[in-house]
Amino acid sequence: MCDLDRDRALRAIGPRSTVRVTDNLDDVAADFPHLTIIGAHPSWPWQEEALAIARHKSNYYIDLSGWAPKYFPKELVHHANSILQDKVLFGSDWPSMGVERWLEEFGQMEIKPEVRQKIMLDNAKKLFKLNF
């Protein structure tokens, strides 16, 4: 279990993390290339590392649930709008945050129209092999 004992892993709260979760995710993504991994909330507090994993591992994706879009870091928006445009998925975190609020804030972001379509629908259709 990622070099942590079960009790400590289950109590994963507190002021300090002694394990780099992203190191383990990178290893799992590399060791199991057919396993699809989706990092949520946009991988906070390891967002920069998650962006790197998504760039270098074809099976790692990032969903945008858990945060209001107005709080997305500039680096996340930049990567979603460019090199990772095929690896980012919509997620609202409903009911904690209403879908209407999420969509309104996302609509105000400087996201290219073709990338917005990918994030909101096309990437999920491709990833989950949906035909509608």
Side-chain angles (χ1 to χ4, degrees), residues 15-36:
R16 179 176 67 187
S17 176
T18 59
V19 173
R20 301 289 308 185
V21 172
T22 52
D23 291 343
N24 296 322
L25 285 174
D26 189 59
D27 289 344
V28 170
D31 291 345
F32 300 95
H34 298 293
L35 174 68
T36 299

Side-chain angles (χ1 to χ4, degrees), residues 62 64 72 76-90 102 106 109-124:
I62 296 173
L64 300 177
F72 290 166
L76 173 62
V77 175
H78 170 75
H79 280 75
N81 220 7
S82 59
I83 196 162
L84 294 180
Q85 63 182 276
D86 297 319
K87 307 284 293 282
V88 179
L89 307 164
F90 162 75
W102 196 97
F106 188 68
M109 299 180 68
E110 293 185 23
I111 300 286
K112 298 172 192 172
E114 65 273 16
V115 173
R116 187 176 305 276
Q117 175 67 28
K118 288 180 178 185
I119 291 171
M120 294 304 298
L121 180 63
D122 294 345
N123 290 343

